């Protein structure tokens, strides 16, 4: 695998068809967002929002690498709350085809991580630039990244009580009495 | 027998403008390894957004960073526009582009001045700070503020570009074309500046790709990557932008601090060209889709979904992801990834093999914005603001003095006419 951005791009529809053919039912949901701009308000690009089964995340990411070196942006996440969906949802945000004019495709991969087993395979070996984001998700949501070499806190202070996960909306989240209202 | 020592640079250090700690492993003066520990100014701004409406979060997002405040506000707004399918009138898009480029100009001028200060070239630093004032005056003329402009809103902008402002901006463009070149030449042709910056803090092209480096840091390593080209937004759809890379100017890429300096300096000229094209092509019509904020808020209350805003901020790509939940007044969740967040991961690579004395320069070479990365900085405002020299100034007095200064600039910039 060479660490290089390719000089050519493929259309988003071709990419979608290829991914659907390869992953079938492992793709739980797929949405396309158009990006329009300019005086004529024409389409300038597309973002794919794909939800995949947790087991398919790593093969899906590796498949993206066969098209172009994947540029990683960030992982966002949300606690889906208790009930039927007792999950932490993680959204991985990537770009493909950055070298090309108007060719960039944004790919956001959503994975539901059940709270009974909060772990994901780390992508640190493929994308070392994801280190801070994986560490941040770990300290904020309590998701363990298997294979991440450095699991130290990144933004929270050294004396932080690691039982408290700041972005969770359940009992492990910050209790109202430890939140200081500024105004 | 060699012994290694571990020393911290930061969180408080004369060479750094904001707190971050780099634990450097040293063999003599040579840096053998580095571990970076951010976190000194994390204020939980994303958490605060959960108790605020989308319109309140625009102003919260501006407080992420003083230099690229418009980039953050616009990125948040674009994420909401993405999920709620809002469109922006052409004039609004062009004005947004103008402010983005003014902000880039401001940021690059500030950085190139501070870079000179970091290598002890104080006369060039003062020249850089002097040059920066003009663009800040234009921003103040447009928005009333030097930072935190409050100019962006959903579906457009809040202030129009008047003929007087367009004229003042064109004068500013001429001023920089005339006055910036001597600054560039003083620094880039100075043998001492070369000696301090060439082959220092090298990030190879391969590592820049693998470590997801972004913006001028990535371009200085030779990557032709710019969101204004590969994913045009706002008026960049009509105004072509080519990434500035050092190999086009030097014939070769070093990926060092001097290349990062050169990319930013050359992007100043690019910004001036873009601003001129924006002013030439400024479409007529309204600059905001819906001026009534109550209507906007009511429609956003019904919106449900996740949106992604991504723009080329001065330091690299800025990514915001926003979730709105139908029926909820407030932002459900919000994730900010400022460019420094991505570029800081490459610091340990840049440190290795360099001298201890170069550490602050290497840290500054990515133009770090630690409060961006960690989202927000709060100070008490006493002492270092430059306004309070002695005694106590009340909030009312401070607001009064700030307003007076804006009025003075408006009177001076527009020849005394009312806006």
């Amino acid at each position: 695998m060479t660490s290089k951005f390719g000089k050519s791009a493929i259309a988003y529809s071709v990419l979608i068809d290829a991914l659907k053919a390869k992953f079938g039912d492992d793709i739980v949901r797929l949405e396309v967002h158009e990006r329009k701009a300019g005086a004529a308000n024409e389409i300038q690009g597309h973002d794919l929002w794909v939800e995949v089964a947790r087991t398919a995340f790593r093969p899906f990411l590796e498949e993206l690498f066969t098209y172009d070196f994947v540029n990683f942006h960030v992982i966002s996440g949300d606690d889906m709350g208790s009930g039927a969906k007792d999950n932490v949802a993680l959204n991985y945000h990537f770009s493909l085809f950055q070298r090309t004019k108007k060719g960039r495709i944004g790919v956001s991969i959503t994975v539901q991580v059940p709270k009974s087993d909060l772990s994901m395979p780390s992508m640190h070996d493929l994308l070392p630039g994801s280190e801070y984001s994986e560490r941040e998700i770990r300290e904020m949501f309590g998701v363990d990244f298997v294979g991440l070499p450095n699991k130290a806190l990144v933004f929270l202070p050294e004396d932080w009580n690691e039982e408290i996960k700041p972005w969770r909306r359940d009992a492990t989240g910050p209790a109202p009495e430890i939140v200081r209202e500024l105004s | 027998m060699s012994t290694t020592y571990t020393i911290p640079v930061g969180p408080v250090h004369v060479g750094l403008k904001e707190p971050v700690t780099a634990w450097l492993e040293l063999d003599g003066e040579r840096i053998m390894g580095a571990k970076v520990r951010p976190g000194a100014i994390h204020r939980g701004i994303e958490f605060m957004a959960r108790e605020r409406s989308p319109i309140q979060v625009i102003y919260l997002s501006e407080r992420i960073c003083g230099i690229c405040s418009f980039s953050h506000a616009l990125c948040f707004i674009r994420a909401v526009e993405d999920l709620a399918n809002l469109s922006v009138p052409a004039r609004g898009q062009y004005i947004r582009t103008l402010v983005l480029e003014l902000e880039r100009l401001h940021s690059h001028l500030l950085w190139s001045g501070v870079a000179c200060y970091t290598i002890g070239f104080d006369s060039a630093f003062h020249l850089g700070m002097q040059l920066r004032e003009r663009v800040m005056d234009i921003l103040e003329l447009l928005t009333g503020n030097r930072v935190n402009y409050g100019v962006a809103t959903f579906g457009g902008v809040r202030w129009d570009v008047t003929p007087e402002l367009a004229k003042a901006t064109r004068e500013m463009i001429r001023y920089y074309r005339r006055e910036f070149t001597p600054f560039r030449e003083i620094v880039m042709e100075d043998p001492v500046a070369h000696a301090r910056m060439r082959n220092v803090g090298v990030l190879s092209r391969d590592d820049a790709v693998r470590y997801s480096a972004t913006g001028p840091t990535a371009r200085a390593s030779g990557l032709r990557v710019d969101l204004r080209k590969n994913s045009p937004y706002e008026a960049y759809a009509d105004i072509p932008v080519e990434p500035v890379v050092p190999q086009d100017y030097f014939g070769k890429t070093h990926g060092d601090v001097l290349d990062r300096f050169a990319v930013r300096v050359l992007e100043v000229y690019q910004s001036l060209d873009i601003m001129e094209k924006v002013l030439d092509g400024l479409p007529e019509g309204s600059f905001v889709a819906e001026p009534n904020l109550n209507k906007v808020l009511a429609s956003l209350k019904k919106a449900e979904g996740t949106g992604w805003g991504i723009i080329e901020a001065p330091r690299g790509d800025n990514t915001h992801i926003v979730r709105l939940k139908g029926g909820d007044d407030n932002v459900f969740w919000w994730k900010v990834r400022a460019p420094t967040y991505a570029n800081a991961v490459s610091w340990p690579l840049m440190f290795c093999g360099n001298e201890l004395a170069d550490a602050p320069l290497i840290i500054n070479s990515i133009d770090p914005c630690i409060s961006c990365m960690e989202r927000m900085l709060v100070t008490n405002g006493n002492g270092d603001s430059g306004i309070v020299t002695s005694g106590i100034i009340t909030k009312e007095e401070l607001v009064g003095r700030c307003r007076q200064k804006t009025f003075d600039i408006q009177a001076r910039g527009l020849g005394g006419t009312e806006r």
Side-chain angles (χ1 to χ4, degrees):
Chain A
M1 200 183 294
T2 54
S3 310
K4 228 176 154 179
F5 292 132
K7 288 183 188 174
S8 59
I10 59 169
Y12 78 101
S13 51
V14 177
L15 180 67
I16 289 177
D17 290 344
L19 291 171
K20 274 186 180 166
K22 176 113 187 171
F23 290 93
D25 291 344
D26 277 340
I27 296 179
V28 183
R29 187 175 53 91
L30 196 153
E31 272 177 46
V32 179
H33 289 200
E34 288 173 349
R35 295 190 305 264
K36 291 181 179 173
N41 214 24
E42 284 168 348
I43 295 171
Q44 306 293 331
H46 295 87
D47 291 329
L48 311 187
W49 291 78
V50 199
E51 182 169 334
V52 300
R54 178 161 63 145
T55 47
F57 170 73
R58 190 64 204 213
F60 195 92
L61 178 60
E62 284 169 19
E63 180 69 14
L64 292 182
F65 270 92
T66 62
Y67 294 94
D68 185 16
F69 196 94
V70 176
N71 188 42
F72 168 75
H73 298 291
V74 74
I75 310 171
S76 66
D78 185 32
D79 181 348
M80 303 297 282
S82 54
K85 270 188 168 178
D86 207 1
N87 295 336
V88 170
L90 296 184
N91 310 299
Y92 291 75
H93 303 278
F94 302 103
S95 287
L96 288 176
F97 314 129
Q98 291 214 106
R99 270 295 304 270
T100 57
K101 190 174 184 182
K102 297 192 186 184
R104 176 184 160 263
I105 299 177
V107 182
S108 176
I109 307 175
T110 303
V111 182
Q112 303 287 346
V113 189
K115 285 187 188 167
S116 53
D117 175 26
L118 281 173
S119 83
M120 279 297 288
S122 170
M123 52 186 175
H124 185 266
D125 53 331
L126 293 171
L127 288 162
S130 66
E131 181 189 332
Y132 280 9
S133 222
E134 291 192 344
R135 282 165 67 184
E136 184 182 38
I137 294 293
R138 186 180 171 275
E139 67 187 15
M140 298 296 181
F141 284 114
V143 177
D144 183 41
F145 287 89
V146 179
L148 179 64
N150 180 358
K151 295 186 183 178
L153 295 176
V154 61
F155 291 126
L156 294 177
E158 262 88 24
D159 58 356
W160 182 261
N161 175 3
E162 287 195 55
E163 304 278 295
I164 300 170
K165 306 296 178 192
W167 292 352
R168 289 272 285 271
R169 293 179 200 268
D170 54 20
T172 60
E177 57 270 18
I178 71 161
V179 178
R180 186 158 57 99
E181 296 293 339
L182 292 174
S183 58
Chain B
M1 195 185 98
S2 78
T3 315
T4 58
Y5 298 91
T6 306
I7 68 148
V9 173
V12 180
H13 186 278
V14 285
L16 304 178
K17 300 293 161 288
E18 288 181 85
V20 68
T21 315
W23 288 93
L24 303 176
E25 210 181 297
L26 297 175
D27 179 7
E29 291 278 312
R30 193 154 295 278
I31 303 171
M32 308 305 286
K35 271 203 174 116
V36 177
R37 175 62 162 103
I41 49 171
H42 193 284
R43 309 303 290 222
I45 206 164
E46 289 144 324
F47 187 83
M48 290 160 73
R50 295 181 179 192
E51 293 185 354
R52 285 164 169 83
S53 79
I55 287 177
Q56 289 170 317
V57 174
I58 296 176
Y59 303 99
L60 183 64
S61 67
E62 283 196 324
R63 269 81 188 158
I64 292 172
C65 176
I67 309 302
C68 42
S69 62
F70 184 74
S71 296
H72 280 294
L74 187 65
C75 209
F76 168 75
I77 284 169
R78 289 184 54 82
V80 173
E81 285 170 353
D82 176 34
L83 77 89
N85 275 321
L86 302 178
S87 62
V88 182
R91 192 175 177 88
Q93 294 186 31
Y94 273 66
I95 297 175
R96 283 179 176 186
T97 309
L98 179 69
V99 184
L100 281 172
E101 291 304 325
L102 286 169
E103 197 168 76
R104 189 183 322 278
L105 181 62
H106 164 208
S107 177
H108 284 0
L109 288 168
L110 176 66
W111 181 83
S112 39
V114 169
C116 295
Y117 162 79
T118 312
I119 59 171
F121 197 170
D122 272 21
S123 46
F125 162 67
H126 288 293
L127 185 55
M129 291 301 105
Q130 187 192 355
L131 288 168
R132 170 180 173 241
E133 281 305 305
R134 188 69 177 255
V135 66
M136 301 207 74
D137 284 353
I138 295 290
L139 284 164
E140 187 166 353
L141 192 56
L142 172 67
T143 68
N145 284 334
R146 281 160 69 86
V147 290
N148 296 346
Y149 316 113
V151 75
T153 192
F154 298 113
V157 288
R158 293 176 59 223
W159 300 103
D160 198 6
V161 170
T162 58
E164 293 84 1
L165 181 88
K167 183 167 165 271
T169 309
R170 284 183 196 278
E171 275 168 20
M172 177 206 78
I173 293 169
R174 280 196 293 279
Y175 166 82
Y176 279 120
R177 286 200 175 127
R178 194 174 64 237
E179 302 291 334
F180 185 68
T181 306
F183 171 80
R184 187 199 74 194
E185 287 171 357
I186 284 168
V187 183
M188 293 198 56
E189 289 170 19
D190 183 79
V192 179
H194 257 256
R196 282 301 307 272
M197 296 197 279
R198 186 51 96 198
N199 294 321
V200 169
V202 173
L203 181 68
S204 72
R205 183 193 294 229
D206 203 54
D207 284 336
V209 172
R210 287 176 58 236
Y211 281 76
S212 310
T214 177
T217 307
R219 290 194 280 278
S221 292
L223 303 179
R224 285 181 203 276
V225 167
D226 193 320
L227 283 165
R228 293 174 290 174
K229 179 185 181 185
N230 63 37
S231 181
Y233 50 95
E234 314 298 352
Y236 300 116
D238 305 333
I239 300 169
V241 177
E242 277 303 315
V244 174
V245 284
Q247 61 262 41
D248 288 353
Y249 296 89
F250 301 134
K252 187 173 178 243
T253 306
H254 293 80
D256 55 10
V257 178
L258 189 64
D259 276 356
R260 275 168 229 142
F261 190 93
V263 165
R264 291 198 178 87
V265 161
L266 294 165
E267 282 184 3
V268 165
Y269 295 99
Q270 187 185 40
S271 281
L272 297 174
D273 292 346
I274 295 170
M275 277 185 252
E276 203 160 51
K277 285 179 186 148
V278 167
L279 291 172
D280 288 343
L282 195 64
E284 295 297 321
S286 63
F287 53 86
V288 62
E290 174 54 68
N292 185 334
L293 285 183
N294 288 328
K295 282 189 190 168
V296 175
L297 212 47
S299 76
L300 289 179
K301 194 175 170 179
K302 288 185 218 127
E304 166 132 13
T306 314
W308 183 0
I310 180 163
I311 62 170
E312 188 75 28
R315 296 124 197 255
D317 77 64
N318 188 9
T319 301
H320 285 219
I321 301 107
V322 180
R323 172 88 183 171
L324 294 187
K325 202 175 163 191
D328 209 335
D329 284 331
N330 295 337
V331 169
F332 195 59
W333 57 261
W334 174 35
K335 179 80 197 90
V336 179
R337 203 242 36 201
T340 302
Y341 190 119
N343 287 331
V345 188
S346 312
W347 267 332
L349 301 172
M350 298 179 191
F351 282 128
C352 282
N354 283 282
E355 302 276 321
L356 173 61
D358 292 327
L361 178 65
I362 293 169
I363 292 178
N364 280 340
S365 72
I366 70 158
D367 194 0
C369 187
I370 310 301
S371 51
C372 275
M373 173 160 79
E374 304 180 9
R375 297 162 297 279
M376 199 163 170
L377 171 69
V378 178
T379 72
N380 289 327
N382 271 333
D384 61 353
S385 63
I387 299 167
V388 186
T389 48
S390 63
I392 296 168
I393 185 164
T394 63
K395 190 183 167 192
E396 287 71 30
E397 278 174 323
L398 187 65
V399 170
R401 285 198 206 180
C402 291
R403 285 198 180 132
Q404 188 55 47
K405 191 195 160 225
T406 305
F407 294 148
D408 291 348
I409 278 190
Q410 286 171 344
R412 176 153 49 87
L414 304 175
T417 47
E418 290 283 319
R419 269 218 297 159

